[in-house]
Amino acid sequence: MSETSEMLDQALAAIFTRSGAGPAQRGAPWPQDTWSTVEANGFAYLDLDEHGIGLEEAVRIAISVGRHAVAIPLVETAGLVSWLLARSALERPEGLTLGAVSHPLDDLRVTPLSGGDAEISGTLHRVPWGRRADHLVAIADFDGTPRTVVLPRPAEVRAGENLAGEPRDTVLFDRLRLPAAAIAQGVGPSPLELRARGVLLRAASAAGAMQRVLAVVLAYADTREQFGKPIRTFQAVQHHMVDVAEAAAATMLAVNAAVLADPGERLLAAASAGVTAKEDTRRLNRSAHQVLGAIGVTDEHELPALTTRLWSWQGEFGSSRDWSVFIGRAALNKSLPSLWSLISSTGQAHAGRALGEVVPW
């Protein structure tokens, strides 16, 4: 961890602890005090032009949000919106600017108008905190060319939520006129890049949540007694504890590998991190709840706030199957000398060999 990332991690932990932004309960009000503090300290939107700020810092924020189960769109603003706008040479408007999750069913229909303006209609699905957005940043298709657009406050929002109670809203636009200044003039990030960065950040949040789940499981197994001794001494419980520890370690390792990957391999590394997080969520959640039993599903306990988020992130930015197919196609790429070179490469063997795109994150 770099010095900048370590300072960021400590600062966010202090903010979340001081503001009491622990695991949010379903239907809890918007934590305005927490968000205002985060924004006032400059963490809501990262300045990607500032020295030392990049992917590692965005990942560190995502890990912290996952570990504390904080119900604010910090991953979306700091990790996605800042990056999309910077890569697209667009200014961030005033107010809460959120990013639309790249959902397979998203459909923005664009009609070019005179003077560089455009008219947009369509639907964005499962937008995190869409109801609170003053603006939304999304990628629209301009005659086959993906271009980033900044959309004003949605005219129609249909409220929804994920399993953890976090807002995931449907946003509709009907013949919305966008000025040229709200449309990226050059080619910005592709939908594939957005999904890859998004799935990596979700994997980072999952890694943070898994770390906290492991701590909860270990503490409970150490203090809960059965037949006069702690349940951690029973072999069946130990097996579940090992499953939780392995899943947490594997996910964090995959996330760190993606951060350290060479640009030519980053899409593949992000896909691997996403699949690892999604697959390991299943065994971690199962084993964690086996250890805690009935107490682990009560609203008063910390565990459900963590595990329901882990379940909720399963389908965001692409499913495990979607990214497994992407990895499989890369493995079958005929330009590679061998499958082993793909698995063991240090970064030079197949950079630029059509595994995706070179991603300057």
Side-chain angles (χ1 to χ4, degrees):
M1 186 191 304
S2 69
E3 184 178 349
T4 302
S5 291
E6 188 172 358
M7 292 173 61
L8 184 61
D9 190 55
Q10 293 172 353
L12 286 173
I15 290 173
F16 296 152
T17 301
R18 187 167 57 248
S19 64
Q25 300 298 323
R26 182 180 299 275
W30 167 256
Q32 184 60 53
D33 291 345
T34 302
W35 181 254
S36 297
T37 304
V38 167
E39 197 169 24
N41 282 273
F43 299 138
Y45 298 94
L46 295 181
D47 184 357
L48 299 181
D49 294 326
E50 186 177 337
H51 179 69
I53 299 296
L55 178 62
E56 183 178 349
E57 285 66 40
V59 164
R60 184 53 49 186
I61 286 175
I63 290 173
S64 185
V65 169
R67 184 187 300 126
H68 292 88
V70 183
I72 55 175
L74 183 56
V75 175
E76 288 75 15
T77 58
L80 290 175
V81 170
S82 299
W83 170 76
L84 265 176
L85 293 177
R87 286 284 306 278
S88 305
L90 289 171
E91 293 292 327
R92 180 172 63 87
E94 291 294 325
L96 182 58
T97 304
L98 298 176
V101 170
S102 187
H103 192 278
L105 297 179
D106 284 348
D107 176 29
L108 288 180
R109 299 178 296 279
V110 179
T111 303
L113 303 175
S114 61
D117 293 358
E119 187 178 82
I120 290 185
S121 298
T123 305
L124 297 172
H125 297 267
R126 300 191 64 78
V127 179
W129 284 270
R131 70 195 71 171
R132 298 203 61 87
D134 296 309
H135 301 275
L136 286 172
V137 179
I139 294 179
D141 189 314
F142 283 72
D143 292 327
T145 301
R147 293 168 69 179
T148 305
V149 295
V150 179
L151 305 167
R153 182 187 294 276
E156 182 179 354
V157 178
R158 297 174 184 170
E161 61 181 30
N162 63 17
L163 183 64
E166 296 173 310
R168 294 292 187 269
D169 301 327
T170 300
V171 179
L172 297 93
F173 297 96
D174 183 25
R175 302 185 67 181
L176 171 71
R177 182 165 185 138
L178 278 186
I183 304 169
Q185 298 307 302
V187 177
S190 69
L192 174 60
E193 282 186 272
L194 173 61
R195 288 195 299 272
R197 186 178 176 94
V199 81
L200 174 57
L201 292 175
R202 283 290 185 264
S205 287
M210 288 177 177
Q211 284 184 330
R212 183 57 194 161
V213 169
L214 176 59
V216 170
V217 166
L218 293 179
Y220 182 83
D222 197 46
T223 56
R224 177 74 167 91
E225 291 190 357
Q226 189 71 29
F227 307 116
K229 54 184 177 180
I231 63 172
R232 62 174 169 76
T233 61
F234 298 111
Q235 190 175 52
V237 174
Q238 291 171 356
H239 283 309
H240 289 306
M241 293 165 63
V242 168
D243 272 346
V244 172
E246 286 181 346
T251 300
M252 185 62 77
L253 181 62
V255 169
N256 288 336
V259 172
L260 297 173
D262 288 337
E265 299 179 346
R266 192 156 281 149
L267 282 179
L268 192 63
S272 299
V275 171
T276 300
K278 293 172 188 295
E279 293 295 326
D280 279 336
T281 284
R282 299 170 188 174
R283 64 168 175 156
L284 177 134
N285 277 4
R286 180 182 63 244
S287 290
H289 282 286
Q290 285 283 355
V291 174
L292 269 75
I295 191 67
V297 296
T298 60
D299 289 340
E300 292 77 12
H301 201 277
E302 178 182 0
L303 186 63
L306 296 162
T307 56
T308 54
R309 279 174 170 77
L310 286 166
W311 280 125
S312 298
W313 298 332
Q314 287 285 290
E316 293 192 346
F317 295 100
S319 66
S320 176
R321 182 183 182 279
D322 295 333
W323 288 110
S324 294
V325 168
F326 177 82
I327 294 170
R329 287 175 176 167
L332 294 173
N333 189 320
K334 293 182 180 180
S335 68
L336 293 176
S338 69
L339 177 60
W340 178 248
S341 70
L342 174 66
I343 297 171
S344 62
S345 170
T346 58
Q348 300 301 320
H350 55 272
R353 289 179 181 266
L355 292 180
E357 305 166 37
V358 175
V359 183
W361 295 348

